[in-house]
Amino acid sequence: MCHNHGVAYISPGVVEVQEIEYPKLALGDRKCEHGVILQIVSTNICGSDQHMVRGRTTAPAGLVLGHEITGLVIEAGRDVEFIKEGDLVSVPFNIACGRCRNCKVGQTGICLNVNPARPGAAYGYVDMGGWVGGQAEYVMVPYADFNLLKFPDKDQAMAKIRDLTLLSDIFPTGYHGAVTAGVGPGSIVYVAGAGPVGLACAVSCHLLGAAVVIVGDMIPERLEQARSFGCETVDLRKDTPLADQIAEIIGVPEVDSAVDCVGFEAHGHGSDSGKEQPATVLNAAMTVTRAGGAIGIPGLYVTGDPGASTEDAKEGNLSIRIGLGWAKSHSFYTGQCPVMKYHRQLMNAILYDKVQIAKAVNVEVISLDKAPKGYQDFDKGAAKKFVIDPHGLIPN
Ligand SMILES: NC(=O)c1ccc[n+]([C@@H]2O[C@H](COP(=O)([O-])OP(=O)(O)OC[C@H]3O[C@@H](n4cnc5c(N)ncnc54)[C@H](O)[C@@H]3O)[C@@H](O)[C@H]2O)c1
Ligand SMILES: [Zn+2]
Ligand SMILES: [Zn+2]
């Protein structure tokens, strides 16, 4: 029997690397012939994990974390036809069956067959179907032919693995935020949040041809990171309202598109920037987006937040000024990113040097035993994207 180790959520603020079960090609007591076992080459820590680790969800103690997985196929079930042992693959964080009505139209973030509790599933995530996470040495991936993206050349892929590892979530997610906010050539965009998703969204806006990308946050190092690849920035600790700060940059207090890359743990602006105000980003996006513009919302909102400061917010009821968005005919787009819609194009953009995503989000590779430290540093607002290398396979 092979051994396996993974990062488990223990209690608010605490994760631990533990010995965990080696994955089986099984779903309960049924064989999972459409699945594969992966030896994990890289697996990233995400802001979405932090919501659980901060105790802001109903995640149970002992949950093995990790939904951003890239790996080598080391065993394939009988019914896997096109993915082969030895393939190096990117795993979309959404688990999707490929057979339901949503999967059939590309809505793999809300697959109907992989989570008995609600549409949509992910590895190692609360309320997402109970699938074992991949911040580990090995993991099982179901519906492998449908889910996996095979890299065309292993050596070429290993040379760019710091970039390609971001295809499992944040690059497609940031791109989806931009696409759903209507970003295209010449767009002027406000991106809220300069964490890895916000930075990936800003890169995506450039890739889509945006004229100006303005990134807002309250962490100076993260704003500096956004400026390092050509973004304008606004420091939300300042008392100057966001619209006025935008006007200082582009001459008018309005943008074409806004993307919320923050979610429900949003802080207020100005003198409120030290406190949580969960509706801040959504209300700010409606304030600064032009009439007729669109707002992409990859930032996560939950239906249960035990750590919220009000009874309403504990159930995901936030004080959103929907009348403002209505008056301006805004479009809103929410939900998990359907990674598969974008990962192949973005892989090619990486392989053919059209984008430098790892540099933009400042990837730092760490070993599995350094994962708890990675979580701590990320929680403190490090301007980095931590990528775990559980087998020491990533070249320097
Ligand atoms: N929809 C999806 O499929 C999907 C996928 C991945 C991540 N996410 C979500 O995207 C969000 C961002 O992820 P991340 O990894 O970058 O997280 P992160 O926590 O590293 O980044 C969030 C950033 O927002 C900043 N912030 C706080 N309040 C703000 C405000 N009012 N305005 C602007 N910035 C503010 C924080 O300082 C922080 O830098 C999270 O909610 C995460 O769960 C969603
Ligand atoms: Zn993620
Ligand atoms: Zn499905």
Side-chain angles (χ1 to χ4, degrees):
M1 171 92 175
C2 300
H3 66 91
N4 192 14
H5 290 88
V7 180
Y9 167 66
I10 306 297
S11 61
V14 184
V15 300
E16 219 172 75
V17 178
Q18 294 184 340
E19 182 149 10
I20 61 170
E21 221 179 303
Y22 185 81
K24 289 193 205 67
L25 286 179
L27 292 174
D29 38 16
R30 236 168 10 106
K31 267 223 106 190
C32 179
E33 297 288 8
H34 49 68
V36 297
I37 308 282
L38 296 184
Q39 179 192 28
I40 294 163
V41 170
S42 61
T43 171
N44 324 323
I45 299 175
C46 181
S48 299
D49 299 322
Q50 293 287 10
H51 301 308
M52 293 187 283
V53 173
R54 291 187 191 119
R56 297 300 297 273
T57 68
T58 47
L63 179 78
V64 178
L65 301 168
H67 57 271
E68 302 193 5
I69 307 165
T70 305
L72 266 176
V73 177
I74 54 171
E75 188 184 344
R78 186 197 59 201
D79 298 342
V80 180
E81 289 187 60
F82 309 111
I83 292 285
K84 303 284 178 216
E85 276 178 34
D87 286 349
L88 180 59
V89 293
S90 177
V91 186
F93 78 86
N94 331 100
I95 299 171
C97 75
R99 294 140 156 93
C100 72
R101 62 182 292 184
N102 286 343
C103 284
K104 283 181 180 176
V105 294
Q107 295 276 30
T108 52
I110 40 173
C111 172
L112 300 173
N113 290 328
V114 282
N115 178 357
R118 57 166 82 175
Y123 306 86
Y125 212 86
V126 61
D127 295 335
M128 286 285 125
W131 299 86
V132 179
Q135 283 166 15
E137 292 167 293
Y138 302 94
V139 75
M140 199 276 280
V141 171
Y143 306 105
D145 279 326
F146 184 65
N147 282 303
L148 295 174
L149 174 69
K150 178 188 164 183
F151 297 138
D153 180 288
K154 264 201 273 185
D155 293 338
Q156 178 201 34
M158 282 310 289
K160 288 203 150 92
I161 197 74
R162 287 173 168 73
D163 296 273
L164 295 170
T165 190
L166 304 172
L167 290 173
S168 56
D169 182 347
I170 66 161
F171 194 12
T173 295
Y175 191 82
H176 177 66
V179 167
T180 55
V183 176
S187 294
I188 297 185
V189 193
Y190 172 61
V191 176
V197 171
L199 296 174
C201 179
V203 169
S204 302
C205 291
H206 287 150
L207 196 58
L208 287 161
V212 184
V213 181
I214 304 168
V215 179
D217 203 301
M218 40 282 283
I219 301 178
E221 296 76 18
R222 290 189 164 191
L223 292 175
E224 180 63 45
Q225 190 60 31
R227 285 192 292 275
S228 74
F229 59 94
C231 300
E232 300 287 341
T233 58
V234 289
D235 185 339
L236 298 167
R237 294 172 306 174
K238 287 190 189 160
D239 280 325
T240 317
L242 172 62
D244 295 354
Q245 290 203 59
I246 288 175
E248 283 169 18
I249 299 167
I250 52 170
V252 288
E254 252 186 5
V255 295
D256 299 312
S257 304
V259 190
D260 173 354
C261 298
V262 181
F264 74 103
E265 290 191 71
H267 283 214
H269 290 176
S271 55
D272 288 335
S273 62
K275 326 189 237 223
E276 267 189 33
Q277 284 182 357
T280 296
V281 176
L282 296 171
N283 288 334
M286 289 188 271
T287 304
V288 301
T289 302
R290 69 173 173 84
I295 300 172
I297 312 177
L300 184 103
Y301 290 86
V302 288
T303 50
D305 173 6
S309 55
T310 65
E311 287 309 307
D312 280 346
K314 282 187 179 144
E315 299 196 334
N317 275 326
L318 312 181
S319 300
I320 296 166
R321 197 173 173 216
I322 192 67
L324 177 59
W326 196 93
K328 293 168 92 175
S329 286
H330 283 155
S331 309
F332 299 86
Y333 205 103
T334 61
Q336 267 189 41
C337 165
V339 168
M340 208 181 287
K341 224 179 225 174
Y342 309 104
H343 63 179
R344 186 178 300 278
Q345 302 95 292
L346 296 177
M347 170 185 77
N348 285 335
I350 291 169
L351 293 177
Y352 289 95
D353 294 322
K354 294 294 173 214
V355 69
Q356 302 261 308
I357 185 73
K359 194 161 170 234
V361 304
N362 198 17
V363 160
E364 181 167 317
V365 176
I366 58 175
S367 60
L368 185 60
D369 49 311
K370 292 278 171 357
K373 171 89 166 70
Y375 268 91
Q376 276 170 13
D377 292 352
F378 189 40
D379 188 42
K380 286 186 205 135
K384 288 178 182 167
K385 174 76 176 173
F386 289 102
V387 172
I388 301 168
D389 174 11
H391 295 276
L393 295 171
I394 300 184
N396 282 322

